[in-house]
Amino acid sequence: MPMPQTYFLASREFDTFIQDVRDTCMLQSHHQAYHTLRAVLHTFRSHLTTADALRFADILPAVTRAIFVEDWRPSDVPLPFPDREALVREMKSVRKDHNLAPQTAIEDVAAALRRSSIYERELDRVLRNLPEGAAAFWA
């Protein structure tokens, strides 16, 4: 079996993706885009069980998957998805003193993710099998 393209092209794919996140969020740097992406991914993950989070991680490109699972404490009990306003507050609380994510960061990252190397049909299929609120998060 050949090496999967998601590993072979991981750096190139991620560079393109993080530039899209930067531009879509109207941020100034890759560093700001990375921290915004991380905050969005970790906010989403905090509302999933371990099994659901791993199911979602399976469809992410390699570097994005690594960011999704970094610093994870799987024993945490997930809370249900709250309304969008609460999700934005939660996302903005990640690295609070250094978080420059715009109010629209969740929607912006969702749009960039859907434009990236992820397969939209696969994303939608996985989201349909996650808890209520998961699909709306990435809408």
Side-chain angles (χ1 to χ4, degrees):
M1 178 176 164
M3 181 189 331
Q5 290 294 303
T6 193
Y7 300 129
F8 186 72
L9 301 172
S11 293
R12 188 180 317 162
E13 283 181 350
F14 185 69
D15 188 51
T16 300
F17 175 56
I18 204 69
Q19 285 178 38
D20 191 13
V21 170
R22 181 198 65 202
D23 295 345
T24 304
C25 291
M26 298 191 316
L27 297 167
Q28 299 299 311
S29 72
H30 283 74
H31 299 287
Q32 293 170 348
Y34 162 78
H35 288 293
T36 297
L37 171 64
R38 184 178 180 274
V40 169
L41 290 173
H42 288 193
T43 297
F44 181 69
R45 183 187 74 196
S46 71
H47 297 283
L48 300 176
T49 64
T50 302
D52 286 340
L54 291 174
R55 198 171 299 117
F56 181 76
D58 276 346
I59 65 166
L60 296 174
V63 178
T64 306
R65 182 182 316 132
I67 295 167
F68 181 75
V69 300
E70 77 174 327
D71 296 331
W72 186 23
R73 305 293 175 257
S75 61
D76 293 346
V77 176
L79 298 173
F81 282 92
D83 63 26
R84 180 62 71 168
E85 189 175 306
L87 287 166
V88 170
R89 277 195 311 275
E90 184 180 336
M91 180 268 306
K92 285 182 153 293
S93 74
V94 176
R95 292 194 74 226
K96 186 176 183 172
D97 295 331
H98 304 283
N99 190 325
L100 299 174
Q103 284 292 114
T104 58
I106 295 172
E107 292 88 353
D108 295 343
V109 169
L113 183 67
R114 288 181 177 277
R115 286 190 298 265
S116 75
S117 59
I118 198 166
Y119 295 106
E120 257 192 286
R121 273 189 262 145
E122 188 70 4
L123 172 63
D124 292 334
R125 182 191 62 75
V126 168
L127 291 174
R128 276 193 301 276
N129 294 301
L130 294 182
E132 184 177 339
F137 188 96
W138 295 107

